[in-house]
Amino acid sequence: QGVIYMMHGVAIEFYPTLWSLVMLSDEQSAMEGWFRGFGFAVFYIGLFYLFAGFADNTQFAAVSVFMRCVAVPILFGSLGIRGYIPIGMAVYFTMADPLFAVITFIVYQRAVADSGKQASFLLDVFSRPGGRYPVTSRSTLGTWTLLQGVIYMM
């Protein structure tokens, strides 16, 4: 998935007219700076998936499933409907990202089935007691990472 996202990002950033050729964007939008910036963001997200894969980070996979099925359709759907991004791009990412998430969920379920520990998927996602990844004592790094997340969301 990381490589797929990185390829999408590079295509959006450096070959924006490709998206107008496949009719997911109008040519004017594809040539605007925000469009290329969005491509960089997609590429950057791909790097997170790439390094999570290198680290065999199953909890990252679980969290990504939840976020891509909830946040991405809401965000891209609302941006497309309001005309802030081309509707073709909104529909594409609203459908493609949750599809990748479903595939990830299936692979995740198979991967953790071998662990022998029964746990709720949502307990895994939110690192709650009873899940596979409970956080019982948050480190300074964990606290700093949470703070960064809040700052980025603002």
Side-chain angles (χ1 to χ4, degrees):
Q1 282 185 78
V3 173
I4 293 169
Y5 281 95
M6 291 167 65
M7 288 172 38
H8 274 79
V10 166
I12 294 168
E13 188 172 0
F14 296 108
Y15 306 105
T17 55
L18 172 69
W19 297 89
S20 59
L21 288 174
V22 294
M23 297 186 285
L24 292 177
S25 174
D26 58 280
E27 197 167 327
Q28 180 183 349
S29 294
M31 297 311 293
E32 293 178 1
W34 70 264
F35 197 87
R36 291 174 186 259
F38 173 70
F40 173 77
V42 172
F43 176 83
Y44 193 73
I45 290 167
L47 288 174
F48 283 107
Y49 285 96
L50 185 73
F51 286 103
F54 286 151
D56 200 24
N57 190 329
T58 54
Q59 199 224 0
F60 179 87
V63 171
S64 79
V65 167
F66 180 78
M67 294 306 298
R68 291 185 292 163
C69 287
V70 175
V72 171
I74 291 170
L75 177 67
F76 279 90
S78 64
L79 289 174
I81 289 168
R82 291 185 176 158
Y84 294 124
I85 63 173
I87 195 70
M89 293 289 286
V91 170
Y92 177 76
F93 280 96
T94 297
M95 291 174 33
D97 215 25
L99 174 65
F100 290 148
V102 168
I103 294 168
T104 301
F105 179 74
I106 292 167
V107 173
Y108 173 81
Q109 290 294 83
R110 289 181 181 165
V112 298
D114 295 338
S115 73
K117 181 176 183 182
Q118 294 295 322
S120 160
F121 176 71
L122 290 177
L123 292 177
D124 289 351
V125 168
F126 293 104
S127 300
R128 303 305 306 157
R132 290 178 187 86
Y133 320 104
V135 174
T136 55
S137 176
R138 188 154 324 276
S139 68
T140 304
L141 178 61
T143 302
W144 170 240
T145 304
L146 283 170
L147 179 61
Q148 284 181 84
V150 170
I151 290 169
Y152 281 122
M153 288 188 292
M154 294 163 62

